[in-house]
Amino acid sequence: MPGTVWFVGAGPGDPELITVKGRALIEQAGAILFAGSLVDEAATRWAPPGCVIADSKGMTLEEMSAWLIEQAGRCGTVLRLQTGDPALYGTLIELVQPLDAAGVPIGVVPGVSSAMASAAAAVESFTLPEVTQTTIFTRVEGRTPMPEGEDLAALAAHRSTLCIFLSITLLHKVEAGLRAAGWPEDAPVVVVHKASWPGQQRIVRGTVATIKHLCREAGIVSQAMVIASPTLGARHWPELTKSRLYDAAFTHRFRRASAPGE
Ligand code: SAH
């Protein structure tokens, strides 16, 4: 019987933001494959002596699945440590399929996504009553094409919260998408670089008009979450429904909705 390969969300960067279950699996792991480009090696600090630890940074997907299958033949608990949560922009399914084909049992342990860590860092809420009750996790088109209907302009038309991954070098596309959906030039946008990484986290607050320039000035070119939302800055609003009341489209709906009672 081969061992089990566990896909474990390592969290956004702070080694303390792994789950208790993820840490317990590290403590009993015979082998760990971690995504070195994004997961700090500190995440493997709880591994037992003799645990085989490898960085997947320079490996192809085929090499990674071969490595996991080989280790599962040797020990009971094998870990694939992924950044944030394994369900978002990871290679979960690409790695699970060859393990299924090889008859290796697998399990997935969720993690704290960088989207959540970025909200925490900036003290922002993705949802606010009467402002937005929806959050969209997306990216803009880079080398990976966007499926039809998912370009940022279409998603931004909902006026909900947008967590935009993998797009810090494509801020011109972010700005264009928000503008095309009618977001005003002064709509707030927050960028969080290395959310939760001890001593390395940076927060840049700007607007549709300024965010690209501000990030360029700050030299932020990687590992950053872009958040565009009508809820941003609500910590400092005098009234919590202000944003909705000042939005032309929402005001229109609000008036119609309240008409029968007037
Ligand atoms: N599964 C991961 C996402 C991997 S895709 C998760 O749930 O967070 C990699 C992208 O995630 C990066 O381009 C960046 O947009 C974002 N990211 C990862 N770690 C981050 C961090 N600590 N701070 C801000 N953004 C981060």
Side-chain angles (χ1 to χ4, degrees):
M1 236 337 241
T4 299
V5 174
W6 292 91
F7 293 84
V8 176
D14 181 347
E16 295 196 341
L17 283 178
I18 193 166
T19 63
V20 173
K21 181 162 185 154
R23 180 172 164 170
L25 284 167
I26 292 178
E27 283 167 351
Q28 66 180 67
I32 299 176
L33 185 63
F34 74 103
S37 49
L38 285 166
V39 176
D40 194 345
E41 198 167 1
T44 60
R45 65 164 77 144
W46 299 290
C51 176
V52 178
I53 298 174
D55 185 347
S56 61
K57 199 162 44 188
M59 294 185 181
T60 63
L61 271 175
E62 292 72 26
E63 287 166 347
M64 287 162 65
S65 53
W67 193 94
L68 293 168
I69 291 165
E70 184 192 326
Q71 296 300 325
R74 205 183 57 77
C75 48
T77 304
V78 179
L79 260 63
R80 163 66 181 154
L81 263 187
Q82 296 192 253
T83 176
D85 184 275
L88 286 169
Y89 308 106
T91 46
L92 177 67
I93 303 305
E94 292 90 330
L95 287 173
V96 166
Q97 282 189 349
L99 294 174
D100 281 345
V104 175
I106 67 113
V108 181
V109 179
V112 176
S113 171
S114 58
M116 309 329 288
S118 297
V123 194
E124 297 290 354
S125 176
F126 290 156
T127 61
L128 272 182
E130 299 188 50
V131 178
T132 183
Q133 294 290 288
T134 303
T135 303
I136 295 174
F137 291 166
T138 189
R139 62 178 298 172
V140 294
E141 184 160 302
R143 264 174 300 176
T144 307
M146 290 302 280
E148 208 187 317
E150 293 186 24
D151 60 287
L152 192 62
L155 299 177
H158 292 285
R159 300 285 171 120
S160 59
T161 296
L162 296 159
C163 291
I164 310 170
F165 291 70
L166 296 158
S167 302
I168 190 63
T169 59
L170 301 167
L171 283 177
H172 56 286
K173 291 190 182 178
V174 172
E175 289 185 359
L178 295 175
R179 283 195 180 106
W183 289 48
E185 290 299 305
D186 63 353
V189 179
V190 169
V191 166
V192 183
H193 172 68
K194 289 205 155 188
S196 87
W197 284 70
Q200 297 186 49
Q201 172 179 287
R202 282 195 287 163
I203 299 171
V204 176
R205 290 183 184 271
T207 63
V208 169
T210 65
I211 197 69
K212 183 180 70 184
H213 177 69
L214 292 174
C215 286
R216 195 175 291 162
E217 264 187 347
I220 296 176
V221 292
S222 68
Q223 263 177 289
M225 180 64 52
V226 182
I227 304 171
S229 171
T231 67
L232 292 178
R235 187 184 186 180
H236 305 293
W237 294 352
E239 311 163 54
L240 275 180
T241 51
K242 184 176 155 214
S243 169
R244 177 182 187 255
L245 295 176
Y246 282 108
D247 184 293
F250 288 133
T251 304
H252 180 67
R253 254 192 270 158
F254 177 70
R255 285 205 184 114
R256 266 205 313 214
S258 62
E262 279 170 6

